[in-house]
Amino acid sequence: MVFSASAVMSEERFGSAYLFVRKQLAWDCLGLIAMFLCFRLDYHRWQRWAYMLLGWTMVALVAVLVIGPVIKGARRWIHLGPISFQPSEMAKLALILALATFLDRHKKPRQRF
């Protein structure tokens, strides 16, 4: 799908129809390696860092409003040298981890959620 959507433009602009496919495959491989490394970790380690990750995510969400560049009228990205990321994506993971940690630590039966 990446190839069919980008081959012509990639060929015209960069001289290679496979440029975006290669980039996508490289990120896919990196993601698979990260996934397998995360599977090897004991989930209790994630619990230790859940609230700290949530705190850093909150800081990043506020920081993007201050230091994030305006792109098409919105501030969504933080650029740190060659790396760019969206704090909102980090917030999804951090919130899930923090809620799971909270629910695990407070196991008494819930009458109301």
Side-chain angles (χ1 to χ4, degrees), residues 59-80 84-87:
V59 169
L61 287 169
V62 172
V64 77
L65 297 174
V66 177
I67 65 171
V70 177
I71 300 172
K72 296 186 180 182
R75 296 176 190 261
R76 296 184 182 109
W77 294 86
I78 292 180
H79 300 289
L80 299 173
S84 298
F85 71 97
Q86 285 183 304

PDB file of all heavy atoms in Angstrom, residues 59-80 84-87:
ATOM      1  N   VAL A  59       3.973  16.966  31.015  1.00  0.00           N
ATOM      2  CA  VAL A  59       4.928  18.038  30.738  1.00  0.00           C
ATOM      3  C   VAL A  59       5.096  18.224  29.228  1.00  0.00           C
ATOM      4  O   VAL A  59       5.105  19.354  28.717  1.00  0.00           O
ATOM      5  CB  VAL A  59       6.290  17.739  31.412  1.00  0.00           C
ATOM      6  CG1 VAL A  59       7.370  18.696  30.933  1.00  0.00           C
ATOM      7  CG2 VAL A  59       6.151  17.785  32.919  1.00  0.00           C
ATOM      8  N   ALA A  60       5.207  17.124  28.496  1.00  0.00           N
ATOM      9  CA  ALA A  60       5.364  17.206  27.035  1.00  0.00           C
ATOM     10  C   ALA A  60       4.122  17.787  26.371  1.00  0.00           C
ATOM     11  O   ALA A  60       4.233  18.545  25.401  1.00  0.00           O
ATOM     12  CB  ALA A  60       5.671  15.821  26.470  1.00  0.00           C
ATOM     13  N   LEU A  61       2.940  17.457  26.887  1.00  0.00           N
ATOM     14  CA  LEU A  61       1.713  18.004  26.314  1.00  0.00           C
ATOM     15  C   LEU A  61       1.630  19.520  26.507  1.00  0.00           C
ATOM     16  O   LEU A  61       1.154  20.239  25.625  1.00  0.00           O
ATOM     17  CB  LEU A  61       0.487  17.319  26.921  1.00  0.00           C
ATOM     18  CG  LEU A  61       0.232  15.896  26.454  1.00  0.00           C
ATOM     19  CD1 LEU A  61      -0.836  15.230  27.328  1.00  0.00           C
ATOM     20  CD2 LEU A  61      -0.189  15.868  24.996  1.00  0.00           C
ATOM     21  N   VAL A  62       2.107  20.007  27.639  1.00  0.00           N
ATOM     22  CA  VAL A  62       2.136  21.459  27.864  1.00  0.00           C
ATOM     23  C   VAL A  62       3.264  22.082  27.040  1.00  0.00           C
ATOM     24  O   VAL A  62       3.097  23.152  26.447  1.00  0.00           O
ATOM     25  CB  VAL A  62       2.283  21.772  29.366  1.00  0.00           C
ATOM     26  CG1 VAL A  62       2.513  23.254  29.589  1.00  0.00           C
ATOM     27  CG2 VAL A  62       1.051  21.292  30.124  1.00  0.00           C
ATOM     28  N   ALA A  63       4.396  21.406  26.974  1.00  0.00           N
ATOM     29  CA  ALA A  63       5.549  21.938  26.245  1.00  0.00           C
ATOM     30  C   ALA A  63       5.265  22.104  24.760  1.00  0.00           C
ATOM     31  O   ALA A  63       5.749  23.049  24.133  1.00  0.00           O
ATOM     32  CB  ALA A  63       6.760  21.032  26.447  1.00  0.00           C
ATOM     33  N   VAL A  64       4.473  21.217  24.195  1.00  0.00           N
ATOM     34  CA  VAL A  64       4.188  21.324  22.764  1.00  0.00           C
ATOM     35  C   VAL A  64       3.433  22.616  22.464  1.00  0.00           C
ATOM     36  O   VAL A  64       3.559  23.181  21.375  1.00  0.00           O
ATOM     37  CB  VAL A  64       3.438  20.081  22.233  1.00  0.00           C
ATOM     38  CG1 VAL A  64       1.966  20.108  22.612  1.00  0.00           C
ATOM     39  CG2 VAL A  64       3.566  19.974  20.724  1.00  0.00           C
ATOM     40  N   LEU A  65       2.685  23.117  23.419  1.00  0.00           N
ATOM     41  CA  LEU A  65       1.975  24.379  23.223  1.00  0.00           C
ATOM     42  C   LEU A  65       2.928  25.570  23.220  1.00  0.00           C
ATOM     43  O   LEU A  65       2.623  26.612  22.655  1.00  0.00           O
ATOM     44  CB  LEU A  65       0.911  24.562  24.312  1.00  0.00           C
ATOM     45  CG  LEU A  65      -0.202  23.535  24.328  1.00  0.00           C
ATOM     46  CD1 LEU A  65      -1.089  23.753  25.547  1.00  0.00           C
ATOM     47  CD2 LEU A  65      -1.007  23.582  23.048  1.00  0.00           C
ATOM     48  N   VAL A  66       4.088  25.399  23.879  1.00  0.00           N
ATOM     49  CA  VAL A  66       5.051  26.489  23.988  1.00  0.00           C
ATOM     50  C   VAL A  66       6.128  26.409  22.920  1.00  0.00           C
ATOM     51  O   VAL A  66       6.425  27.398  22.250  1.00  0.00           O
ATOM     52  CB  VAL A  66       5.687  26.484  25.398  1.00  0.00           C
ATOM     53  CG1 VAL A  66       6.745  27.565  25.527  1.00  0.00           C
ATOM     54  CG2 VAL A  66       4.613  26.642  26.459  1.00  0.00           C
ATOM     55  N   ILE A  67       6.733  25.230  22.760  1.00  0.00           N
ATOM     56  CA  ILE A  67       7.888  25.110  21.862  1.00  0.00           C
ATOM     57  C   ILE A  67       7.579  24.410  20.553  1.00  0.00           C
ATOM     58  O   ILE A  67       8.429  24.362  19.676  1.00  0.00           O
ATOM     59  CB  ILE A  67       9.060  24.381  22.556  1.00  0.00           C
ATOM     60  CG1 ILE A  67       8.685  22.937  22.880  1.00  0.00           C
ATOM     61  CG2 ILE A  67       9.533  25.132  23.760  1.00  0.00           C
ATOM     62  CD1 ILE A  67       9.851  22.103  23.358  1.00  0.00           C
ATOM     63  N   GLY A  68       6.384  23.863  20.408  1.00  0.00           N
ATOM     64  CA  GLY A  68       6.045  23.169  19.176  1.00  0.00           C
ATOM     65  C   GLY A  68       5.858  24.140  18.024  1.00  0.00           C
ATOM     66  O   GLY A  68       5.262  25.202  18.185  1.00  0.00           O
ATOM     67  N   PRO A  69       6.375  23.796  16.846  1.00  0.00           N
ATOM     68  CA  PRO A  69       6.185  24.676  15.692  1.00  0.00           C
ATOM     69  C   PRO A  69       4.733  24.641  15.214  1.00  0.00           C
ATOM     70  O   PRO A  69       4.062  23.622  15.338  1.00  0.00           O
ATOM     71  CB  PRO A  69       7.121  24.081  14.643  1.00  0.00           C
ATOM     72  CG  PRO A  69       7.216  22.637  15.002  1.00  0.00           C
ATOM     73  CD  PRO A  69       7.128  22.599  16.512  1.00  0.00           C
ATOM     74  N   VAL A  70       4.276  25.755  14.690  1.00  0.00           N
ATOM     75  CA  VAL A  70       2.922  25.815  14.140  1.00  0.00           C
ATOM     76  C   VAL A  70       2.966  25.253  12.720  1.00  0.00           C
ATOM     77  O   VAL A  70       3.673  25.771  11.855  1.00  0.00           O
ATOM     78  CB  VAL A  70       2.384  27.258  14.132  1.00  0.00           C
ATOM     79  CG1 VAL A  70       1.007  27.303  13.485  1.00  0.00           C
ATOM     80  CG2 VAL A  70       2.332  27.812  15.536  1.00  0.00           C
ATOM     81  N   ILE A  71       2.240  24.179  12.504  1.00  0.00           N
ATOM     82  CA  ILE A  71       2.156  23.551  11.191  1.00  0.00           C
ATOM     83  C   ILE A  71       0.691  23.494  10.809  1.00  0.00           C
ATOM     84  O   ILE A  71      -0.101  22.837  11.484  1.00  0.00           O
ATOM     85  CB  ILE A  71       2.769  22.133  11.194  1.00  0.00           C
ATOM     86  CG1 ILE A  71       4.239  22.213  11.594  1.00  0.00           C
ATOM     87  CG2 ILE A  71       2.607  21.478   9.831  1.00  0.00           C
ATOM     88  CD1 ILE A  71       4.896  20.872  11.809  1.00  0.00           C
ATOM     89  N   LYS A  72       0.333  24.209   9.762  1.00  0.00           N
ATOM     90  CA  LYS A  72      -1.052  24.299   9.289  1.00  0.00           C
ATOM     91  C   LYS A  72      -1.990  24.737  10.411  1.00  0.00           C
ATOM     92  O   LYS A  72      -3.084  24.210  10.566  1.00  0.00           O
ATOM     93  CB  LYS A  72      -1.506  22.990   8.669  1.00  0.00           C
ATOM     94  CG  LYS A  72      -0.729  22.627   7.421  1.00  0.00           C
ATOM     95  CD  LYS A  72      -1.293  21.408   6.745  1.00  0.00           C
ATOM     96  CE  LYS A  72      -0.463  21.106   5.500  1.00  0.00           C
ATOM     97  NZ  LYS A  72      -0.971  19.972   4.771  1.00  0.00           N
ATOM     98  N   GLY A  73      -1.539  25.677  11.217  1.00  0.00           N
ATOM     99  CA  GLY A  73      -2.374  26.258  12.257  1.00  0.00           C
ATOM    100  C   GLY A  73      -2.456  25.483  13.561  1.00  0.00           C
ATOM    101  O   GLY A  73      -3.215  25.853  14.440  1.00  0.00           O
ATOM    102  N   ALA A  74      -1.689  24.418  13.706  1.00  0.00           N
ATOM    103  CA  ALA A  74      -1.761  23.613  14.938  1.00  0.00           C
ATOM    104  C   ALA A  74      -0.351  23.289  15.426  1.00  0.00           C
ATOM    105  O   ALA A  74       0.585  23.185  14.642  1.00  0.00           O
ATOM    106  CB  ALA A  74      -2.533  22.331  14.688  1.00  0.00           C
ATOM    107  N   ARG A  75      -0.245  23.111  16.735  1.00  0.00           N
ATOM    108  CA  ARG A  75       1.026  22.692  17.353  1.00  0.00           C
ATOM    109  C   ARG A  75       0.846  21.254  17.831  1.00  0.00           C
ATOM    110  O   ARG A  75       0.116  21.016  18.783  1.00  0.00           O
ATOM    111  CB  ARG A  75       1.365  23.581  18.529  1.00  0.00           C
ATOM    112  CG  ARG A  75       1.619  25.014  18.168  1.00  0.00           C
ATOM    113  CD  ARG A  75       1.860  25.822  19.437  1.00  0.00           C
ATOM    114  NE  ARG A  75       1.871  27.224  19.161  1.00  0.00           N
ATOM    115  CZ  ARG A  75       2.976  27.951  19.009  1.00  0.00           C
ATOM    116  NH1 ARG A  75       4.149  27.367  19.102  1.00  0.00           N
ATOM    117  NH2 ARG A  75       2.909  29.234  18.768  1.00  0.00           N
ATOM    118  N   ARG A  76       1.506  20.332  17.159  1.00  0.00           N
ATOM    119  CA  ARG A  76       1.334  18.919  17.516  1.00  0.00           C
ATOM    120  C   ARG A  76       2.646  18.195  17.764  1.00  0.00           C
ATOM    121  O   ARG A  76       2.663  17.151  18.387  1.00  0.00           O
ATOM    122  CB  ARG A  76       0.594  18.193  16.387  1.00  0.00           C
ATOM    123  CG  ARG A  76      -0.803  18.673  16.169  1.00  0.00           C
ATOM    124  CD  ARG A  76      -1.489  17.825  15.106  1.00  0.00           C
ATOM    125  NE  ARG A  76      -2.816  18.317  14.863  1.00  0.00           N
ATOM    126  CZ  ARG A  76      -3.190  18.938  13.746  1.00  0.00           C
ATOM    127  NH1 ARG A  76      -2.326  19.136  12.779  1.00  0.00           N
ATOM    128  NH2 ARG A  76      -4.416  19.359  13.595  1.00  0.00           N
ATOM    129  N   TRP A  77       3.735  18.700  17.236  1.00  0.00           N
ATOM    130  CA  TRP A  77       5.000  17.979  17.233  1.00  0.00           C
ATOM    131  C   TRP A  77       6.030  18.670  18.110  1.00  0.00           C
ATOM    132  O   TRP A  77       6.044  19.892  18.226  1.00  0.00           O
ATOM    133  CB  TRP A  77       5.561  17.904  15.816  1.00  0.00           C
ATOM    134  CG  TRP A  77       4.731  17.080  14.905  1.00  0.00           C
ATOM    135  CD1 TRP A  77       3.647  17.494  14.183  1.00  0.00           C
ATOM    136  CD2 TRP A  77       4.889  15.706  14.612  1.00  0.00           C
ATOM    137  NE1 TRP A  77       3.135  16.456  13.466  1.00  0.00           N
ATOM    138  CE2 TRP A  77       3.877  15.342  13.701  1.00  0.00           C
ATOM    139  CE3 TRP A  77       5.790  14.736  15.025  1.00  0.00           C
ATOM    140  CZ2 TRP A  77       3.754  14.053  13.211  1.00  0.00           C
ATOM    141  CZ3 TRP A  77       5.658  13.457  14.527  1.00  0.00           C
ATOM    142  CH2 TRP A  77       4.647  13.129  13.634  1.00  0.00           C
ATOM    143  N   ILE A  78       6.908  17.881  18.686  1.00  0.00           N
ATOM    144  CA  ILE A  78       8.106  18.378  19.357  1.00  0.00           C
ATOM    145  C   ILE A  78       9.293  17.818  18.583  1.00  0.00           C
ATOM    146  O   ILE A  78       9.378  16.614  18.341  1.00  0.00           O
ATOM    147  CB  ILE A  78       8.169  17.940  20.833  1.00  0.00           C
ATOM    148  CG1 ILE A  78       7.071  18.629  21.631  1.00  0.00           C
ATOM    149  CG2 ILE A  78       9.540  18.243  21.419  1.00  0.00           C
ATOM    150  CD1 ILE A  78       7.047  18.258  23.096  1.00  0.00           C
ATOM    151  N   HIS A  79      10.192  18.713  18.199  1.00  0.00           N
ATOM    152  CA  HIS A  79      11.385  18.311  17.449  1.00  0.00           C
ATOM    153  C   HIS A  79      12.592  18.359  18.379  1.00  0.00           C
ATOM    154  O   HIS A  79      12.894  19.397  18.961  1.00  0.00           O
ATOM    155  CB  HIS A  79      11.614  19.252  16.261  1.00  0.00           C
ATOM    156  CG  HIS A  79      10.475  19.273  15.292  1.00  0.00           C
ATOM    157  ND1 HIS A  79      10.177  18.223  14.461  1.00  0.00           N
ATOM    158  CD2 HIS A  79       9.541  20.215  15.033  1.00  0.00           C
ATOM    159  CE1 HIS A  79       9.116  18.515  13.735  1.00  0.00           C
ATOM    160  NE2 HIS A  79       8.704  19.727  14.062  1.00  0.00           N
ATOM    161  N   LEU A  80      13.255  17.233  18.529  1.00  0.00           N
ATOM    162  CA  LEU A  80      14.473  17.138  19.330  1.00  0.00           C
ATOM    163  C   LEU A  80      15.586  16.620  18.426  1.00  0.00           C
ATOM    164  O   LEU A  80      15.788  15.407  18.304  1.00  0.00           O
ATOM    165  CB  LEU A  80      14.281  16.199  20.522  1.00  0.00           C
ATOM    166  CG  LEU A  80      13.213  16.590  21.536  1.00  0.00           C
ATOM    167  CD1 LEU A  80      13.017  15.490  22.556  1.00  0.00           C
ATOM    168  CD2 LEU A  80      13.586  17.885  22.217  1.00  0.00           C
ATOM    169  N   SER A  84      11.457  13.580  15.906  1.00  0.00           N
ATOM    170  CA  SER A  84      10.223  14.332  16.128  1.00  0.00           C
ATOM    171  C   SER A  84       9.182  13.366  16.678  1.00  0.00           C
ATOM    172  O   SER A  84       9.130  12.206  16.268  1.00  0.00           O
ATOM    173  CB  SER A  84       9.711  14.918  14.821  1.00  0.00           C
ATOM    174  OG  SER A  84      10.640  15.813  14.291  1.00  0.00           O
ATOM    175  N   PHE A  85       8.373  13.847  17.603  1.00  0.00           N
ATOM    176  CA  PHE A  85       7.311  12.997  18.126  1.00  0.00           C
ATOM    177  C   PHE A  85       6.120  13.842  18.527  1.00  0.00           C
ATOM    178  O   PHE A  85       6.224  15.035  18.756  1.00  0.00           O
ATOM    179  CB  PHE A  85       7.802  12.142  19.300  1.00  0.00           C
ATOM    180  CG  PHE A  85       8.071  12.924  20.557  1.00  0.00           C
ATOM    181  CD1 PHE A  85       7.115  12.998  21.552  1.00  0.00           C
ATOM    182  CD2 PHE A  85       9.277  13.568  20.743  1.00  0.00           C
ATOM    183  CE1 PHE A  85       7.360  13.710  22.712  1.00  0.00           C
ATOM    184  CE2 PHE A  85       9.534  14.278  21.896  1.00  0.00           C
ATOM    185  CZ  PHE A  85       8.563  14.357  22.890  1.00  0.00           C
ATOM    186  N   GLN A  86       4.974  13.174  18.601  1.00  0.00           N
ATOM    187  CA  GLN A  86       3.749  13.808  19.048  1.00  0.00           C
ATOM    188  C   GLN A  86       3.486  13.383  20.491  1.00  0.00           C
ATOM    189  O   GLN A  86       3.302  12.195  20.760  1.00  0.00           O
ATOM    190  CB  GLN A  86       2.568  13.385  18.184  1.00  0.00           C
ATOM    191  CG  GLN A  86       2.536  14.028  16.832  1.00  0.00           C
ATOM    192  CD  GLN A  86       1.298  13.625  16.059  1.00  0.00           C
ATOM    193  OE1 GLN A  86       1.050  12.445  15.863  1.00  0.00           O
ATOM    194  NE2 GLN A  86       0.532  14.614  15.632  1.00  0.00           N
ATOM    195  N   PRO A  87       3.435  14.322  21.419  1.00  0.00           N
ATOM    196  CA  PRO A  87       3.153  13.952  22.814  1.00  0.00           C
ATOM    197  C   PRO A  87       1.804  13.268  22.984  1.00  0.00           C
ATOM    198  O   PRO A  87       1.629  12.469  23.898  1.00  0.00           O
ATOM    199  CB  PRO A  87       3.181  15.301  23.541  1.00  0.00           C
ATOM    200  CG  PRO A  87       4.032  16.177  22.705  1.00  0.00           C
ATOM    201  CD  PRO A  87       3.786  15.738  21.294  1.00  0.00           C
TER     202      PRO A  87
END
